[in-house]
Amino acid sequence: MTEEEILAQITSEYQSSENFTSQKRALYERRKKLYNNIEDQNNKVYSKLIFSVTETLLALYVKDKPSVQFIINKDFFEDIEENIGKVAESDYERMSMEERKERVEFYKFFYGVGIEVFDGFDQTKKTPEYLVISPMLWVCDPNQTINR
């Protein structure tokens, strides 16, 4: 393919994605206004419902500490189990997992998709770095041609 053909394909796919997501983004904008506007309003029960359901789901599914437990053999390796658990909790805090997971889960419940991308490795903290992308900024591939 020539450079012009590649640029034409990219432009075509981007425009196709914009056409595909523009209606969804408009819907999400209206939903976001309802979510943020939770004042008492006559005949508008649904505005509180979106907020309540989303917050309830977040409370149920977002954990404030790792939900992993290491069990080797209680009789001989109790100290090792405890140390591994402490390392897991420390990593969870250093990587800011709680905030990131909460944001991803919110996006899943509110928009139907939560996007978390591995973005590198922090050499200072010795932890992986992740990027959470808002579905309002996401440019999807409506034709699903990325892996063909």
Side-chain angles (χ1 to χ4, degrees):
M1 289 181 89
T2 66
E3 185 176 333
E4 291 82 22
E5 291 173 329
I6 292 171
L7 289 173
Q9 180 181 351
I10 291 170
T11 304
S12 170
E13 288 180 5
Y14 184 80
Q15 189 59 46
S16 176
S17 176
E18 280 294 312
N19 294 339
F20 181 76
T21 56
S22 63
Q23 291 177 347
K24 286 195 176 283
R25 287 187 180 146
L27 171 70
Y28 295 151
E29 281 296 329
R30 287 192 303 273
R31 189 183 296 169
K32 202 170 173 185
K33 286 179 184 173
L34 291 174
Y35 175 82
N36 289 327
N37 186 12
I38 59 171
E39 297 174 3
D40 285 331
Q41 298 174 4
N42 294 335
N43 303 323
K44 291 194 177 180
V45 175
Y46 57 86
S47 65
K48 283 186 174 183
L49 184 63
I50 293 172
F51 179 83
S52 298
V53 168
T54 305
E55 293 301 314
T56 302
L57 288 170
L58 284 173
L60 286 171
Y61 289 102
V62 176
K63 308 284 188 236
D64 60 349
K65 62 181 186 175
S67 58
V68 70
Q69 183 179 10
F70 298 95
I71 300 173
I72 302 171
N73 183 337
K74 285 279 187 192
D75 298 334
F76 300 104
F77 301 108
E78 191 171 331
D79 291 340
I80 294 172
E81 289 176 9
E82 188 177 318
N83 288 340
I84 292 173
K86 287 180 182 177
V87 168
E89 286 182 21
S90 172
D91 286 348
Y92 194 85
E93 288 175 18
R94 286 188 316 178
M95 292 169 55
S96 303
M97 293 280 287
E98 180 182 354
E99 295 87 7
R100 192 175 75 241
K101 291 292 181 194
E102 183 175 351
R103 181 59 31 199
V104 170
E105 292 299 322
F106 174 82
Y107 288 153
K108 283 181 188 177
F109 298 138
F110 197 78
Y111 298 110
V113 63
I115 306 164
E116 182 177 26
V117 179
F118 175 70
D119 194 40
F121 192 81
D122 186 337
Q123 293 295 333
T124 307
K125 293 181 181 178
K126 305 292 185 204
T127 57
E129 293 179 333
Y130 292 89
L131 181 64
V132 177
I133 300 172
S134 169
M136 293 295 283
L137 304 174
W138 176 44
V139 179
C140 67
D141 183 3
N143 302 322
Q144 301 174 0
T145 57
I146 196 163
N147 291 323
R148 286 187 191 173

